[in-house]
Amino acid sequence: MILICFIAPWLAMFLRGHIIQGILCIILHITLIGWIPATIWALVVTQRESAA
């Protein structure tokens, strides 16, 4: 799942069931500058749900 967060953060959001966050992640991922925040955001969401 961590690898998916680096390659396609929006896909990680969709796989976790966060559709609206996934769409926002796609918008961030389209821009080169937004790729890093989108990856960090996907990692945080993935780690938070894994811990719960």
Side-chain angles (χ1 to χ4, degrees):
M1 186 58 87
I2 293 174
L3 183 62
I4 293 174
C5 288
F6 282 107
I7 295 171
W10 50 271
L11 182 59
M13 294 288 199
F14 285 148
L15 291 175
R16 291 290 181 180
H18 301 283
I19 304 301
I20 295 174
Q21 290 178 351
I23 293 169
L24 291 173
C25 237
I26 288 173
I27 294 169
L28 276 175
H29 195 251
I30 289 172
T31 65
L32 185 59
I33 297 170
W35 179 78
I36 294 170
T39 301
I40 294 170
W41 184 21
L43 284 169
V44 168
V45 168
T46 301
Q47 295 299 322
R48 186 180 307 148
E49 289 189 3
S50 294

